[in-house]
Amino acid sequence: MKITFNHLITAALLSLPSMANAQLKQKGDSLISVINKHPENIAAHDAYIQAMWKDSAAVVKQYQLWTKKFPKEAGIAYGYGKFYTNMESPAARPFLLKAVALNPKLADAWQELSIDAERWGEFDKARDFMGKAAAAEPDNADYLFYYANSLEKDDPEKYREMCNELIKKFPESQRGAQALYWMAFRAPDMQKKKALYEQMRRDFPVSKFSWSNSGMEEYFDLLLSDNPSEALKLATDLAATPGLESESKEGFEKNAKLAGQFIAAGKLLADNKTSEAAAVLNNIKPKRWGSMPQTLALLKAKVANQGGHPQQAYDTLMKYYVATPARSLKAPLLAYGKEAGKTESAIYEELKQQLNTGAKEASFSLESYLADGKVSMKDYKGKVVLLTFWFPGCGPCRGEFPHFEKVLKNFNGQPVSYLGINIVRDQDAYVVPFVKSSKYSFTPLKDVETNRQNLPVRGAPTNYLIDQDGKIIFKNFMIQNHDAELMLEDMIRLLLEKQA
């Protein structure tokens, strides 16, 4: 982005330390002075909105005054619209449309229009608006990144092509590392994942790019499940990276230690020293995220089975599978169960019993956006219910919906229902247009916290899967890639059938 004198003025104002309310007003007054002299200064508008967001009435009043004073200034219309998009308010669009009509090259306004269109469920418009932002400022990596991502669901080939263009064009941008991260995370093919992570490691070093740190954590987990020696080398090499922040260095050193423990357990297992191997694995403290806990569960089960304890191997995997039924655990679970003398039907019966142990009944009675009257859990007796708590301004929620839809297509004509409860009632105006424009299949409901007592929401999205008896079986999962889609499919089948 081109840096202008006006941007420098605004940057100086933003560099002032945090202030009390009186000082914030003084800062706001200073920015008003800047905008009065330079109403086209987009950075000043952004700074003013950021400084004054707690006093929305004052912001609206000020923009009303500016609109009268500068009726043909795109920057004023942009600022007014940006204020409303920051508030995630449906009032934003007319101001932003006015801004781009006055100045079609105003990339910031096109981006805000794209964000607003996402909240309406108008994804074609959102993509078109972001494309115009990227065209208006071709040297802005942010706009190209978001434009590329808008193509990911409908035109994956074009998505990858644009991501590669971004990586080539902006080799010093965090957006390049971020694009590689998401391409690798979403790739269903293991070798493609590895190639993308290696490209990230080579072209976007962890000492400079925060997204590469996240990517290398994912890469480490991937290698740990496939080849712990490669995982050890990766972690050791990364920990030795010059200029690495201490926190990242410590994380990679922990990973190296972890890989060493896996290697040691593997060598003991190869020597048939299963008790010693089990002792090593029992000393491992798994991460709370990623695939590493699953890898550990699989290795513990393998050690137990080789040690002549197939029942222990089965129990180890069953405990993990009940909480996280990843597709890769299914075949080993059945195999160890068979070695323990169990039939496949008996395994599934036991799995269902464990899933139901301690399961609480779901309870809600909420109004629908699409029909009069209330909808309650009793209306879904005999159906499996996928229930998500969301709101239109929630980007991760919108990102998860296509994955849900892809999985649910496998259950057309079966007793599966899909509900979406909007937890931000200030955004009610978006909900019905969002559902109709997006053509997503969930039934939208209006949240009232007291009417969903045993369905706590810790943020959005919060997801539940409820069985045909109305019991909560799975919760706190997210579906963001191909492997997670397979897991959700298996979760639903477990609740529909005696055998998955």
Side-chain angles (χ1 to χ4, degrees), residues 4 38 50 182 199 207 211 268 362 440 466:
T4 66
H38 303 282
Q50 180 182 343
W182 285 112
Q199 183 181 354
S207 58
W211 277 99
L268 290 167
Y440 290 152
I466 301 165

Side-chain angles (χ1 to χ4, degrees), residues 165-353:
E165 177 189 342
L166 167 69
I167 291 161
K168 184 177 179 180
K169 187 174 181 179
F170 300 103
E172 298 300 318
S173 170
Q174 290 283 352
R175 293 301 188 189
Q178 188 177 5
L180 272 171
Y181 173 89
W182 285 112
M183 282 200 293
F185 182 80
R186 292 163 175 160
D189 179 74
M190 185 71 69
Q191 294 307 313
K192 184 63 175 176
K193 280 182 180 288
K194 287 184 177 180
L196 289 167
Y197 283 131
E198 279 297 332
Q199 183 181 354
M200 176 188 289
R201 181 185 177 189
R202 180 186 70 242
D203 296 341
F204 296 91
V206 291
S207 58
K208 293 175 61 178
F209 297 92
S210 58
W211 277 99
S212 293
N213 275 270
S214 300
M216 290 304 99
E217 285 286 342
E218 299 274 357
Y219 189 25
F220 173 81
D221 285 355
L222 184 69
L223 292 176
L224 190 67
S225 65
D226 186 52
N227 190 327
S229 294
E230 287 187 16
L232 173 61
K233 186 176 187 312
L234 174 71
T236 303
D237 289 348
L238 290 172
T241 303
L244 191 64
E245 292 185 0
S246 58
E247 184 177 351
S248 297
K249 182 179 178 66
E250 182 181 347
F252 292 133
E253 287 173 343
K254 286 182 178 179
N255 283 346
K257 179 181 178 181
L258 188 64
Q261 291 172 298
F262 270 77
I263 292 168
K267 289 180 178 178
L268 290 167
L269 183 61
D271 293 337
N272 208 32
K273 297 179 179 179
T274 55
S275 296
E276 293 91 333
V280 171
L281 295 176
N282 287 334
N283 283 326
I284 293 176
K285 294 182 179 180
K287 303 174 186 177
R288 295 181 180 180
W289 63 89
S291 61
M292 183 265 166
Q294 176 182 320
T295 301
L296 180 60
L298 282 166
L299 187 53
K300 282 183 174 182
K302 184 178 180 180
V303 168
N305 189 62
Q306 187 169 319
H309 305 287
Q311 180 66 46
Q312 183 183 343
Y314 170 79
D315 290 342
T316 297
L317 281 194
M318 176 64 79
K319 181 179 179 181
Y320 188 88
Y321 192 80
V322 165
T324 311
R327 178 70 62 88
S328 60
L329 297 180
K330 185 176 176 181
L333 177 67
L334 293 173
Y336 293 140
K338 185 177 180 180
E339 288 195 42
K342 301 175 186 291
T343 64
E344 190 169 304
S345 60
I347 292 170
Y348 280 110
E349 187 60 35
E350 183 178 343
L351 176 57
K352 289 210 163 208
Q353 288 177 359

